[in-house]
Amino acid sequence: MKHFRLLALLLALLPMAGAAQSDFPFPQIPSVLTDPADRLDYMLQHYWDEYNFRDTTKLNQDVAEQGLSDFINLMQYADTAQMRQAADRFSAKAFANEWGRSHYEELIEHYLGHPESPLRNDIFYACMLRSMNDAFPRTDERRSRFQYQLRQVAKNQVGTKANDFDYVTRDGKWHTLQQLKATYTLIIFSDPECEHCQEAMPKLIANPALQDKRLTVLSVYPDRNTQLWKKTANKLPSNWIDAYSPRGIIMEKQIYYLPALPSLYLLDAQKQVLIKDGKLEDVLARLKE
């Protein structure tokens, strides 16, 4: 299915290559390339060939932003090596001068770094942060921010084993994530005082799909205010694990990247990360698979 979706996407992009000047100048994929993987590779290698990065007019900026969003969207079909190469090719052109460094850094942060962005892709964001760090002058203070953000984004990537942590349940007993036996574990990091959590948690609690017998739900308050957590007793379903992080160690040690709460992590039986800081829809779709 993914194979055909990829082909459909690339074919859909082709007519845009000959469109009006105000549209992004997509590369023309040679007709001899019929395999979707080859077409994707060509598209990524030549994506920015015809775009004029020296033109700073508002019209051309709008063209670049649309082109960048489509570029990021393509990364869901790319492997890590392709992502790294694509990030380096883009950075070599986009960050060649100070105007480009400021303008395109902001767009990258908006599309890849914002927790609510529909195009958020932490693996590609990590590639872009590495590339940006290399492309910016060594004296540029922004590089230290890229390095910090890279360390955060690189934590608990999909396909890696989730970082272990202690948690304490309502009965006062200590446990660790890795000791938890479950086919699937859904970690919900939340805060009773967080407005988004107050909106999201009732929907999570009411969703019948989270009653899946294969799934163990572990709700964790990750911060230090234990008294706040104690005041919220009996707010969660009895079959959920209701816990807090002792001494707020999860937030204190930044064991997990939590740009916004609530934050959902879906793990398999070996505690490998299946979904990182995802949405409920992502979790439900993965469970259906």
Side-chain angles (χ1 to χ4, degrees):
M1 179 62 72
K2 182 176 179 180
H3 186 82
F4 291 110
R5 284 170 54 215
L6 171 57
L7 179 58
L9 175 62
L10 293 179
L11 289 176
L13 289 175
L14 282 176
M16 301 181 189
Q21 189 174 1
S22 59
D23 290 331
F24 187 83
F26 291 96
Q28 293 278 6
I29 302 177
S31 58
V32 294
L33 298 179
T34 58
D35 182 80
D38 292 337
R39 294 169 72 82
L40 172 64
D41 193 58
Y42 185 94
M43 176 70 84
L44 295 180
Q45 287 188 44
H46 299 277
Y47 192 91
W48 298 99
D49 284 1
E50 301 302 320
Y51 177 72
N52 183 8
F53 282 92
R54 293 184 298 275
D55 183 349
T56 60
T57 62
K58 179 64 169 62
L59 178 62
N60 201 48
Q61 290 178 37
D62 292 342
V63 171
E65 182 166 0
Q66 182 58 55
L68 181 61
S69 66
D70 290 334
F71 180 62
I72 292 170
N73 200 34
L74 279 173
M75 293 305 152
Q76 65 183 297
Y77 303 101
D79 59 32
T80 305
Q82 289 174 317
M83 288 184 186
R84 289 172 180 164
Q85 293 170 359
D88 288 344
R89 290 190 185 96
F90 172 77
S91 296
K93 295 183 177 184
F95 303 126
N97 56 57
E98 180 52 39
W99 183 90
R101 286 191 283 271
S102 298
H103 179 68
Y104 292 109
E105 178 209 350
E106 183 177 333
L107 289 178
I108 291 295
E109 173 68 22
H110 172 72
Y111 283 112
L112 288 173
H114 195 283
E116 297 298 321
S117 171
L119 293 179
R120 183 177 165 192
N121 181 330
D122 280 358
I123 297 177
F124 185 48
Y125 191 29
C127 293
M128 282 303 313
L129 287 167
R130 289 189 185 94
S131 187
M132 290 161 67
N133 183 67
D134 292 341
F136 278 52
R138 291 188 177 277
T139 55
D140 197 310
E141 294 180 355
R142 288 169 289 191
R143 294 183 71 205
S144 61
R145 180 159 53 83
F146 299 154
Q147 292 161 15
Y148 170 80
Q149 191 66 7
L150 178 58
R151 289 193 297 272
Q152 298 304 311
V153 172
K155 294 174 182 176
N156 301 292
Q157 290 280 12
V158 171
T160 65
K161 194 165 187 175
N163 287 337
D164 197 13
F165 58 84
D166 294 325
Y167 63 88
V168 180
T169 48
R170 292 286 176 184
D171 57 8
K173 293 181 179 179
W174 286 57
H175 309 267
T176 68
L177 174 64
Q178 296 299 331
Q179 290 172 343
L180 184 59
K181 305 299 182 185
T183 304
Y184 294 104
T185 301
L186 175 62
I187 308 175
I188 303 175
F189 294 107
S190 66
D191 183 330
E193 290 188 328
C194 158
E195 289 187 13
H196 284 169
C197 298
Q198 292 171 4
E199 295 175 4
M201 289 302 286
K203 297 176 183 177
L204 291 168
I205 291 169
N207 196 299
L210 296 191
Q211 300 299 319
D212 189 318
K213 293 181 179 179
R214 301 171 300 164
L215 182 68
T216 295
V217 180
L218 170 60
S219 176
V220 182
Y221 172 61
D223 219 332
R224 299 179 65 90
N225 192 349
T226 308
Q227 294 305 313
L228 172 65
W229 176 81
K230 289 180 178 179
K231 291 178 182 178
T232 60
N234 304 316
K235 298 288 186 180
L236 300 179
S238 59
N239 60 331
W240 287 21
I241 301 174
D242 187 2
Y244 72 91
S245 170
R247 299 182 299 280
I249 198 73
I250 291 175
M251 294 293 277
E252 187 76 21
K253 299 294 186 182
Q254 299 183 358
I255 298 171
Y256 282 72
Y257 178 51
L258 304 174
L261 296 177
S263 180
L264 276 58
Y265 280 72
L266 182 66
L267 316 179
D268 67 11
Q270 288 73 45
K271 302 301 183 290
Q272 300 280 330
V273 179
L274 300 177
I275 291 176
K276 173 187 175 180
D277 191 31
K279 298 179 174 60
L280 176 60
E281 310 87 81
D282 302 327
V283 173
L284 299 181
R286 189 58 186 262
L287 290 174
K288 283 182 179 179
E289 290 178 7

